[in-house]
């Protein structure tokens, strides 16, 4: 069982504190987590959001988070978009009635709920100001205390602000791109680690800096997209390359376009293999050796070889890990 709670708080009792994109962000994240790209069910999701007449209080937020993490689920995901606050005692998620920081839901309380959770894996995604405080110890400043199986993805450092742009959180817009396939591996899987790497690369040194904290033994997949290559074709990498450092010899029979070839011979099996090798090239698994392009590597009797990433996937296939 996989559960996800997505929370968006735009509206506050003090309307001067109102935000604009949080409910929209929570809706989009909920939709992406709910279904994989092929339409199969991924998470059982729940959405909490505010309107002009509907608010979310501290007690309601705390109860919902407790319910999310109390069951013995395989994976529980909390996504929050709204105001965040910080004072000398810690960080807070600001619910609708908040006038000062410590009236919000303490991030320490959130982490205590998670520490008592029976869920095997817990992922917390926070798009709010000062969210990088989550998981920090107030007693031992600068230290992080996470129970096993916990991952935190925060929009910014604890002393930074999380920004909105074009009606969306900057962090969440990148999170959505990552879940949509921007951060997927060759199996189509998107993990919290790959999401962080995607967002980290997308934000400059002078912008808000995303924070990643984890105490895990294995990464979990948050969403599966359609892979860029069939698994059956990826598995043939150990058939074509007998060792990760071996070159694959080519000749004109591999290239369907033979107008520059020194032989008109046609070999359909070779052309099928070459088509898969070309896919490997597009995925940075293979590069031509002795020529700039695969076409000329074949026409001129050269070869191709695995890249470092290609060698990595070769080992995964060889060890039957994919």
């Amino acid at each position: 069982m996989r559960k996800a709670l997505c929370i968006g708080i735009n509206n506050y009792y003090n309307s001067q504190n109102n935000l604009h994109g949080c409910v929209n962000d929570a809706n989009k994240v909920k939709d992406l987590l709910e279904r994989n790209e092929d339409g199969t069910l991924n998470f059982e999701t729940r959405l909490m959001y505010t309107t002009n007449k509907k608010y979310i209080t501290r007690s309601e937020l705390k109860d919902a988070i407790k319910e999310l993490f109390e069951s013995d689920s395989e994976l529980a995901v909390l996504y929050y978009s709204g105001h965040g606050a910080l004072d000398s005692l810690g960080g807070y998620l600001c619910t609708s009635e908040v006038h000062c920081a410590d009236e919000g839901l303490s991030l320490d309380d959130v982490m205590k709920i998670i520490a008592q959770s029976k869920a095997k894996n817990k992922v917390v995604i926070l798009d709010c100001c000062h969210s990088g405080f989550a998981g920090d110890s107030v007693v031992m400043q600068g230290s992080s205390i996470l129970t096993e199986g916990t991952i935190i993805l925060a929009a910014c450092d604890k002393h930074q602000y999380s920004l909105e742009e074009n009606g969306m959180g900057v962090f969440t817009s990148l999170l959505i791109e990552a879940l949509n396939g921007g951060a997927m591996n060759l199996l189509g899987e998107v993990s919290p680690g790959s999401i962080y790497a995607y967002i980290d690369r997308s934000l400059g040194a002078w912008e808000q800096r995303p924070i990643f904290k984890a105490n895990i033994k294995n990464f979990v997949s948050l969403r599966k997209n359609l892979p860029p290559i069939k698994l059956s074709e990826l598995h043939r990498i150990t058939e074509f390359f007998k060792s990760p450092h071996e070159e694959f010899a080519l000749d004109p029979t591999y290239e369907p376009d033979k107008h520059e070839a020194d032989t008109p011979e046609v070999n359909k099996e070779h052309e099928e293999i070459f088509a898969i090798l070309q896919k490997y090239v597009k995925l940075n698994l293979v590069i031509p050796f002795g020529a700039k392009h695969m076409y000329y590597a074949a026409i001129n009797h050269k070869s191709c070889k695995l890249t470092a990433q290609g060698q990595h996937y070769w080992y995964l296939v060889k060890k039957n890990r994919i």
Side-chain angles (χ1 to χ4, degrees):
M1 184 171 60
R2 292 157 64 94
K3 298 168 64 178
L5 172 63
C6 299
I7 301 156
I9 301 181
N10 280 347
N11 300 87
Y12 291 82
Y13 291 159
N14 180 357
S15 61
Q16 291 181 345
N17 293 331
N18 284 352
L19 295 169
H20 304 286
C22 300
V23 172
N24 185 45
D25 286 352
N27 263 296
K28 289 185 176 181
V29 172
K30 177 254 185 191
D31 288 345
L32 281 171
L33 290 178
E34 193 166 59
R35 297 279 171 179
N36 295 307
E37 189 178 358
D38 64 0
T40 56
L41 183 65
N42 185 27
F43 282 91
E44 292 189 21
T45 60
R46 178 175 293 179
L47 178 67
M48 288 182 71
Y49 62 95
T50 60
T51 67
N52 289 333
K53 296 182 179 181
K54 176 183 175 183
Y55 296 94
I56 296 175
T57 65
R58 179 184 180 278
S59 60
E60 288 172 337
L61 179 60
K62 188 173 183 179
D63 287 345
I65 293 174
K66 279 184 176 179
E67 187 177 357
L68 169 68
F69 289 110
E70 69 184 1
S71 63
D72 188 13
S73 55
E74 173 201 346
L75 173 58
V77 174
L78 169 65
Y79 169 84
Y80 172 87
S81 179
H83 277 305
L86 185 71
D87 67 11
S88 59
L89 296 178
Y92 304 85
L93 303 180
C94 297
T95 46
S96 296
E97 77 277 27
V98 165
H99 290 283
C100 57
D102 61 4
E103 292 177 351
L105 179 59
S106 166
L107 285 170
D108 279 349
D109 285 347
V110 174
M111 298 313 297
K112 287 174 185 176
I113 292 170
I114 292 171
Q116 297 168 7
S117 175
K118 297 178 182 178
K120 185 177 179 182
N121 298 285
K122 291 81 64 176
V123 177
V124 179
I125 305 173
L126 303 175
D127 192 353
C128 60
C129 299
H130 313 296
S131 52
F133 185 85
D136 275 14
S137 169
V138 176
V139 178
M140 297 180 291
Q141 292 187 3
S143 299
S144 178
I145 299 178
L146 300 180
T147 54
E148 186 175 308
T150 304
I151 294 173
I152 296 173
L153 270 169
C156 59
D157 182 79
K158 59 186 174 184
H159 298 299
Q160 291 181 319
Y161 297 98
S162 180
L163 302 178
E164 284 189 342
E165 191 174 272
N166 300 320
M168 288 189 68
V170 171
F171 172 84
T172 294
S173 65
L174 293 170
L175 169 67
I176 288 169
E177 290 176 12
L179 287 169
N180 258 323
M184 71 179 179
N185 62 17
L186 294 189
L187 302 181
E189 297 169 339
V190 180
S191 74
S194 67
I195 290 173
Y196 172 75
Y198 182 89
I199 296 174
D200 177 61
R201 288 193 302 267
S202 302
L203 294 172
W206 294 93
E207 298 176 277
Q208 66 187 68
R209 297 305 309 155
I211 301 296
F212 181 84
K213 302 176 185 180
N215 179 5
I216 55 173
K217 293 181 179 177
N218 302 101
F219 271 133
V220 292
S221 174
L222 293 185
R223 188 171 192 259
K224 190 160 187 177
N225 295 277
L226 299 178
I229 187 171
K230 293 179 181 177
L231 186 59
S232 59
E233 293 177 334
L234 184 57
H235 277 172
R236 296 190 73 181
I237 197 167
T238 56
E239 172 191 336
F240 303 151
F241 299 89
K242 302 305 180 185
S243 80
H245 303 289
E246 181 179 285
E247 295 174 25
F248 186 90
L250 297 169
D251 63 54
T253 62
Y254 287 90
E255 172 54 61
D257 179 5
K258 296 179 171 53
H259 73 277
E260 296 182 73
D262 56 13
T263 174
E265 180 185 349
V266 173
N267 187 316
K268 291 299 182 182
E269 181 182 354
H270 282 189
E271 290 180 8
E272 176 193 344
I273 292 172
F274 196 66
I276 297 173
L277 291 173
Q278 291 278 39
K279 292 181 182 180
Y280 289 173
V281 171
K282 291 180 180 178
L283 297 172
N284 193 34
L285 300 177
V286 163
I287 55 173
F289 189 65
K292 289 185 177 181
H293 304 286
M294 288 290 282
Y295 170 82
Y296 289 110
I299 295 299
N300 296 320
H301 300 264
K302 301 297 183 180
S303 63
C304 61
K305 64 179 182 178
L306 295 172
T307 62
Q309 181 164 290
Q311 291 175 8
H312 170 69
Y313 276 94
W314 186 96
Y315 281 113
L316 291 179
V317 172
K318 191 68 174 179
K319 294 178 180 180
N320 202 32
R321 292 183 180 165
I322 57 173

